[in-house]
Amino acid sequence: MKKQILIIACLLAAVFTVRAQGVIRIGIIGLDTSHSTAFTELLNGTSDDPLVREFEVVAAYPYGSKAIRSSRDRIPGYIETVKKFGVEITASVAELLDKVDCVLLETNDGRLHLGQAVEVFRSGKICYIDKPLGATLGEAIAIYEMAERYGASVFTSSALRYSPQNAALRRGDFGKILGADCYSPHTVEPTHPDFGFYGIHGVETLYTLLGTGCEAVSRIHSPMGDIVSGRWNDGRLGTFRAVVKGPAVYGGTAFTEKGTVAAGGYAGYKVLLDEILRYFKSGASPVSKEETLEIFTFMKASNMSLERGGRTVMMDEAYAEGMKEARRLLEAYDE
């Protein structure tokens, strides 16, 4: 009990110190994605939003993927962009953590997230981890395990979850959702399993509408894209169309008790940023561990189905495969 009281007292002292300084200081890890510059512009720009004005990006560690060329080549330009907003560039994650109160982990390469997140967890700083949480289901499980070890919370999400239309559907404003078909672009990235790098946007839209409970998945593929079908344990059906060739569109259809309703598309980064800032203040993730890990399990099961010629794969089997990988990854932290 005394230990818990001491921890709470330390946290409160940190909060009061931050407020006394007049701003909550944000650090960004990874300047290899447009999300980093977009969040910096929103936070350090001319917004008169009271919530936004409580925060400022003060430091950034640029790396970031050095392996994915499309990400790596952005870094020099994005460094110059954030510097124009008064952001200090640090030489390491450790240096950044000494200067900030909370962290936006934006590195575009999900394979780096586990190591970077653990460094943040150890520091006691609260952290938002941008999509994908990890490159694989196993990495996502390992991140949650390490967060629990250090008493940290985890919040990760696509901006599509917070499209006003999707938020209204999630709240039940259009009645009970009986099924959904959702779509988003899918960019094949060889360093990541299918959908984890970009198609996750459409999968997250599907889960925003239907929630957890998928039990079985199957997938069909062509050079034009993929369709992944899921059966939920209450009989609802949900599909994700990954668009490889065609327009870069986001959206879908929800089938409700009252009729069909269009799902929301991309509505900018501000809707997600607001959720992140509220999370930084409360420490309570608005998206559960269970839902996030089921999104990764759904993607894992879809890839297993493709390997098996489109046969149905049970979600329990896919999760078990992810757990095997997570155990291997966690061995390095058990020594």
Side-chain angles (χ1 to χ4, degrees):
M1 179 61 73
K2 290 183 179 179
K3 182 178 180 181
Q4 290 176 332
I5 293 173
L6 179 60
I7 291 172
I8 292 171
C10 291
L11 289 171
L12 287 173
V15 170
F16 289 138
T17 300
V18 169
R19 289 179 178 171
Q21 294 171 343
V23 67
I24 300 173
R25 303 166 300 169
I26 294 177
I28 293 178
I29 298 174
L31 294 179
D32 59 342
T33 167
S34 60
H35 293 198
S36 298
T37 53
F39 286 145
T40 300
E41 184 173 357
L42 287 167
L43 287 159
N44 292 18
T46 58
S47 173
D48 58 1
D49 183 320
L51 177 62
V52 171
R53 297 323 311 158
E54 293 183 51
F55 295 83
E56 181 182 355
V57 179
V58 299
Y61 172 66
Y63 305 101
S65 179
K66 297 182 181 180
I68 302 174
R69 182 174 179 177
S70 62
S71 299
R72 182 191 65 216
D73 291 352
R74 298 171 176 174
I75 295 174
Y78 286 172
I79 288 175
E80 295 307 312
T81 297
V82 301
K83 285 169 67 174
K84 292 176 183 177
F85 287 93
V87 177
E88 178 184 352
I89 303 302
T90 68
S92 67
V93 171
E95 182 185 351
L96 176 135
L97 291 171
D98 285 339
K99 300 174 182 292
V100 304
D101 307 300
C102 42
V103 175
L104 292 168
L105 202 171
E106 295 296 322
T107 304
N108 216 17
D109 190 338
R111 298 173 302 171
L112 302 179
H113 285 183
L114 175 58
Q116 291 178 331
V118 168
E119 194 166 356
V120 179
F121 297 157
R122 284 172 174 161
S123 75
K125 306 295 172 68
I126 190 168
C127 179
Y128 165 79
I129 305 176
D130 214 328
K131 64 86 191 163
L133 176 62
T136 65
L137 170 61
E139 291 174 8
I141 294 171
I143 285 172
Y144 274 108
E145 171 64 24
M146 294 306 297
E148 289 174 5
R149 291 187 189 185
Y150 287 100
S153 63
V154 175
F155 172 34
T156 184
S157 177
S158 160
L160 274 292
R161 177 178 289 273
Y162 295 106
S163 159
Q165 179 78 341
N166 290 340
L169 283 160
R170 177 82 172 203
R171 287 193 304 267
D173 292 2
F174 298 95
K176 183 178 179 180
I177 298 175
L178 307 177
D181 299 331
C182 299
Y183 52 82
S184 73
H186 166 43
T187 301
V188 176
E189 171 47 57
T191 60
H192 289 59
D194 270 0
F195 309 143
F197 189 73
Y198 204 85
I200 191 172
H201 287 302
V203 180
E204 183 126 23
T205 302
L206 181 65
Y207 269 84
T208 301
L209 272 51
L210 295 185
T212 58
C214 184
E215 61 183 7
V217 170
S218 62
R219 172 177 170 183
I220 58 174
H221 167 79
S222 89
M224 301 294 289
D226 300 79
I227 295 178
V228 183
S229 300
R231 184 182 72 240
W232 266 246
N233 53 23
D234 58 4
R236 292 179 299 161
L237 301 175
T239 67
F240 162 56
R241 177 186 289 266
V243 181
V244 174
K245 293 185 178 180
V249 290
Y250 306 82
T253 301
F255 300 91
T256 78
E257 295 172 309
K258 301 176 182 179
T260 58
V261 179
Y266 174 65
Y269 293 123
K270 179 62 164 58
V271 290
L272 173 59
L273 179 62
D274 287 346
E275 293 296 328
I276 295 170
L277 299 183
R278 284 191 280 267
Y279 164 66
F280 282 161
K281 294 183 71 173
S282 72
S285 174
V287 182
S288 71
K289 167 186 174 180
E290 291 73 23
E291 184 160 336
T292 295
L293 289 183
E294 190 168 315
I295 286 171
F296 277 83
T297 306
F298 182 92
M299 294 188 293
K300 171 74 172 177
S302 78
N303 295 332
M304 293 169 66
S305 174
L306 180 64
E307 293 168 359
R308 299 175 185 181
R311 293 199 299 274
T312 297
V313 173
M314 302 305 292
M315 291 279 281
D316 286 347
E317 181 187 358
Y319 186 81
E321 289 298 310
M323 276 298 302
K324 292 177 184 177
E325 180 193 2
R327 292 190 187 102
R328 292 194 296 271
L329 291 169
L330 290 167
E331 285 178 359
Y333 297 96
D334 291 333
E335 296 174 353

